[in-house]
Amino acid sequence: MTLKMIQGEIRFGAFLLLLGVCVLVLLGWSCSSAAGKRTSPVKSDNKTVAQKNSHKASRNQPIESTAPKTSGPTIEIKENSPSDTVKVFYDRLRENRFKDALILTNLRPAVEGLSDREVSDLGVDFRKLAGMVPEKMPINGEIMTGNEATVTVRMPDPKTGKPEISELQLRKNGDHWVLLVADAEGEKRVRKEGKNYFFSLRMDVHHEEAKAMLNRISKAQAVYSLQNKGKYADLRTLVQKGYVPTDALSVESTGYKYDVALAYDQSTYTALATPAEYGKSGTLSFALKIRRGVEPELVSRDVKGNSLNG
């Protein structure tokens, strides 16, 4: 997983958790490697970021840790420095304080207005993510150039177990440092849309996934038709035969209701995708129409959550 995966308005792939991806990228796992060196840290007589923002940790049940064992920082972390900001970010993740952690990033305008219910609606298993954070983050480098900084973390690759150097980019805003997650264009959209940003992105993802699922159904129907004398099947049959994933029968993971409208003689069909919650899981309804001797036609329209069947 690389930082580029979330840059350019943070486009996420199939079934990835929106905020979860941001967190995992900032954990530094599988990011591009580059050795970092340390320069003179920022001097300050103020309290550290950690002291300013100390709160009691979550009183939830203990989180089972899946984090790699690390020896902690190998550089001195000065108060209010970029490394201090990174350390506090990780501390907040471990304490299950994810809004507070992401407020330290340039996603702040999209995060600070979210209620606990809205965070839950985004579908992120934050407790599981908290268990991925080592107790002592192995911060091993800091480079500052004016109002820009790079902090490096030496983490074992989750697949190979080999230590890798991962980079986190920061920018100084006033008297504090900000972790950079979104690129310039994404940041403009964050400021414009505020807390609606993540929900808007989620709908964008669901729209793309709806088209991908209809394409999957089309390929499954082609296989079924070859095996059944040109006849097509309903959606449940395609799932039972393993041609289409079971997600097609549930709205929880997809945000869409899928269906196959068969002709009376099963010689043609229309595959349908309709938002499960209009305005939250999606705004576009889709229909893939299959007619004999005619190229498949995929249409999409905003019909206020209604089906395009008919």
Side-chain angles (χ1 to χ4, degrees):
M1 184 181 298
T2 68
L3 190 59
K4 290 182 180 179
M5 290 178 63
I6 58 171
Q7 289 180 334
E9 297 189 3
I10 317 180
R11 293 291 178 177
F12 301 95
F15 311 119
L16 288 176
L17 302 174
L18 296 176
L19 291 177
V21 172
C22 299
V23 172
L24 289 174
V25 170
L26 288 172
L27 285 177
W29 289 10
S30 300
C31 293
S32 58
S33 298
K37 62 181 180 180
R38 186 182 174 218
T39 60
S40 300
V42 175
K43 294 182 179 180
S44 172
D45 293 328
N46 298 327
K47 293 182 178 180
T48 65
V49 177
Q51 290 170 331
K52 288 181 179 179
N53 297 287
S54 60
H55 296 283
K56 291 183 179 179
S58 171
R59 296 183 180 179
N60 293 334
Q61 294 296 319
I63 300 167
E64 182 179 354
S65 177
T66 58
K69 300 297 182 182
T70 63
S71 58
T74 58
I75 63 171
E76 181 183 3
I77 297 180
K78 298 291 186 177
E79 56 187 38
N80 297 323
S81 67
S83 297
D84 188 36
T85 300
V86 171
K87 178 183 180 299
V88 173
F89 174 82
Y90 287 128
D91 288 344
R92 291 181 180 182
L93 292 186
R94 280 190 58 81
E95 294 169 358
N96 213 10
R97 295 165 50 209
F98 292 92
K99 276 182 59 179
D100 291 341
L102 290 173
I103 278 175
L104 296 177
T105 75
N106 62 342
L107 295 178
R108 178 170 184 157
V111 174
E112 58 187 351
L114 291 173
S115 66
D116 291 341
R117 174 61 183 273
E118 287 170 328
V119 172
S120 177
D121 285 346
L122 286 170
V124 183
D125 187 351
F126 283 135
R127 285 178 55 79
K128 184 175 181 180
L129 291 171
M132 297 179 182
V133 183
E135 183 176 355
K136 297 179 179 180
M137 286 305 302
I139 299 170
N140 72 335
E142 178 185 276
I143 302 172
M144 286 187 290
T145 306
N147 289 330
E148 297 180 351
T150 299
V151 173
T152 58
V153 181
R154 185 179 177 85
M155 289 279 285
D157 183 275
K159 294 182 180 179
T160 66
K162 296 180 180 179
E164 290 191 354
I165 302 297
S166 301
E167 294 184 350
L168 299 177
Q169 305 299 323
L170 297 93
R171 178 184 67 223
K172 195 169 188 181
N173 284 359
D175 61 353
H176 64 279
W177 290 91
V178 175
L179 277 163
L180 302 181
V181 176
D183 66 4
E185 289 301 314
E187 193 168 354
K188 287 180 182 178
R189 184 174 173 185
V190 167
R191 289 196 296 266
K192 179 180 179 180
E193 298 184 6
K195 72 174 187 177
N196 293 324
Y197 176 69
F198 285 112
F199 294 98
S200 176
L201 280 180
R202 181 174 65 175
M203 288 193 291
D204 289 347
V205 171
H206 285 169
H207 292 160
E208 293 303 312
E209 292 307 316
K211 289 187 284 187
M213 182 67 81
L214 293 182
N215 183 55
R216 179 74 176 267
I217 291 172
S218 174
K219 292 179 178 179
Q221 290 283 32
V223 173
Y224 184 90
S225 177
L226 288 173
Q227 298 173 348
N228 292 273
K229 300 179 180 180
K231 294 186 179 297
Y232 296 110
D234 60 34
L235 183 58
R236 188 165 294 277
T237 298
L238 296 176
V239 171
Q240 289 173 345
K241 288 187 172 293
Y243 297 159
V244 174
T246 56
D247 287 313
L249 299 178
S250 171
V251 301
E252 280 74 18
S253 62
T254 65
Y256 265 74
K257 295 178 288 186
Y258 294 96
D259 194 14
V260 171
L262 286 170
Y264 73 95
D265 60 355
Q266 296 180 253
S267 63
T268 62
Y269 72 91
T270 299
L272 302 161
T274 309
E277 290 186 84
Y278 177 77
K280 288 188 175 182
S281 63
T283 57
L284 297 177
S285 295
F286 297 85
L288 179 64
K289 300 180 179 181
I290 304 297
R291 302 291 181 265
R292 292 197 180 280
V294 180
E295 286 293 319
E297 179 187 8
L298 176 63
V299 296
S300 63
R301 289 198 300 274
D302 183 345
V303 289
K304 306 300 182 183
N306 294 312
S307 172
L308 288 182
N309 189 25

